[in-house]
Amino acid sequence: MGSIRPWAVPIVLLLSSSLGACGRGRPDTEWPRFVERNGRHALIVDGAPFLILGAQANNSSNYPSALDDVWPAIERLHANTLEIPVAWEQLEPAEGQFDFAYVDELLRQARAHDIRLVLLWFATWKNTAPHYAPSWVKLDNARFPRIIGKDGRIHDALSPLFQETLDADRRAFRELMRHLRAVDGDRRTVIMVQVENEPGVYGSVRDYSPTAEALFAGAVPDALTAALGGRSGTWTGVFGEDADEFFHAWHVARFIGQVAADGREEYPLPMYANAALRDPVRDQDPMSYASGGPTWNVIEIYKAAAPALAVLAPDMYARDHATAVAHFARYNRKDNPLLIVEIGNDAEFARFFFHVFGNNGVGFSPFGMDFTGYANFPLGAREVNPQALEPFAVLFEAFAPVARDWARISFEHPTWGVAKPDDNAMQTVALGRWTATVRYDQWEFGRSEWTWLPQEPSPLLDRESGGAMIAELGEDEYLVFAQNARIEFALQDSAAANGVIFDRVEEGHFTAGEWVMDRVWNGDQTDYGLNFTARPRLLRVTLATY
Ligand code: DGJ
């Protein structure tokens, strides 16, 4: 078959039209960055769209002594990116004295393993607390004040309202980014940086210190009023019962946005903030989650306050399908690429791989993926060993060779993705003039309604895995990557033809952006729909009518 690269030309045009000097003589496009067009997103790495098939190490794996337990897991997973912390306490143990030994060793080892890095700047907020800040910060309440609750209680979380805290954090972050540019600007081992970790405060909606109270009594900043297109006035006057939370979100976002902006002045890598989540559907009292973090109800506030952040990323620990999918939808926006930097590492989370990458997501990284012996059940797996990695590894291994191609296609073409629902129900996806139905209750051969052939329930019913992602290449042509699912196609307008057949179903891969057919599926492999087994496969499907 000939080339199927209708997308190649537009990408080249897009990249060359945005070539530009970016200080110090280096073309902007050489550094990673996000691009958006027609609501579709791509993370550009080395000049082309890239997908993060990632893994996040455990929280305390950010030392050379732990790295030996990290790489075997990353390799076993077939990940292309490791997300790993850099703690403020290890970077600047004494004020003004910086130690880059760990960062340099991490870079050296990552390059040796041919793995990209996303660095997690654990500083003023780590799951809201300042525990990763150096002692000279986290123990000095006078200089770096903590949040004071409504009842006068002092909380662990630092307040975002104090200049000394902001200045100390951003000075250290600048040092990190300056160093990274010097030692990695030409290699781009590090492709992105997370600024803080799950910021906000638990158990109070905001800071109620005298400083905070004075600010809260004042007017909503013009920048926020303008961004929201609303009326001006006091926080309470404009936002009513949301005023406390929105006030805190604005100030936390401004703080993180300024840290990110300073860092980007040194080295303009893409930056993002991650969120501990709020219920995606039902109303929830901000006292019961990390108030002020980038929860879905304050995304507009973050976008206005922190333009240096390219992405707000939801940390996904919801196991049930409906809740997880609702969370994804909240963060998958024209102004926000879907980037999953944390997802539970238990087997049932692996199916969401299909949902994320099928819906133009740019990264998928299970959390706690190393062999340091720690497992974060009930958020993730009970035990992290080679066997526990398998549900993710099988997907990453099959998808890695085509991930760049999928990234390019999903930036240019409509795509869809579904993960197996908890009740095994059939899913129907509308694709142009076709529909695809995805079922998780079928054997590979035959039909469940055949009463003349004694049958048992399909083993797929009990499997935790399964899903499908589909890209439209042309009116009747689709790419399908799936696992443990049966996919059937029909015309949306069933009266438009006598019947529907596969013209051709090719299993294959891409080489240098060109489709290469490995074999043609036909007969039992297609007569009952496309039956994907536990071995994920990529198919190029041409549909026809008779
Ligand atoms: C979310 C945080 O962002 C991670 O750093 C980690 O604490 C996990 N929760 C759970 O272990």
Side-chain angles (χ1 to χ4, degrees), residues 201-361:
V201 57
Y202 288 107
S204 180
V205 183
R206 64 170 173 91
D207 188 4
Y208 294 86
S209 65
T211 305
E213 288 302 88
L215 273 171
F216 188 72
V220 173
D222 291 343
L224 181 56
T225 306
L228 301 185
R231 60 197 173 86
S232 49
T234 62
W235 287 91
T236 310
V238 175
F239 296 119
E241 59 184 25
D242 291 322
D244 292 314
E245 181 183 7
F246 287 11
F247 172 85
H248 196 49
W250 169 260
H251 286 287
V252 173
R254 288 271 295 174
F255 185 117
I256 299 175
Q258 287 176 67
V259 174
D262 275 33
R264 279 177 57 81
E265 261 180 41
E266 297 296 335
Y267 184 18
L269 287 181
M271 302 205 178
Y272 71 92
N274 63 331
L277 299 178
R278 173 191 209 264
D279 192 297
V281 182
R282 284 172 296 275
D283 216 14
Q284 197 182 345
D285 180 354
M287 286 290 275
S288 64
Y289 56 87
S291 174
T295 48
W296 67 261
N297 57 326
V298 296
I299 288 178
E300 280 79 11
I301 294 178
Y302 264 74
K303 293 290 173 188
L309 296 177
V311 188
L312 305 173
D315 288 349
M316 182 57 55
Y317 293 94
R319 288 175 184 263
D320 76 283
H321 180 273
T323 308
V325 164
H327 280 303
F328 294 136
R330 289 288 187 192
Y331 286 84
N332 194 359
R333 303 161 40 126
K334 184 172 164 47
D335 63 358
N336 197 67
L338 182 61
L339 170 68
I340 304 304
V341 295
E342 289 186 37
I343 186 163
N345 60 0
D346 219 347
E348 66 188 311
F349 289 99
R351 61 193 161 147
F352 296 119
F353 175 98
F354 295 98
H355 185 95
V356 170
F357 288 129
N359 286 283
N360 189 221

Side-chain angles (χ1 to χ4, degrees), residues 25-38:
R26 187 173 302 280
D28 187 15
T29 46
E30 284 190 18
W31 284 321
R33 67 209 174 91
F34 281 96
V35 291
E36 179 272 330
R37 196 169 57 194
N38 300 328

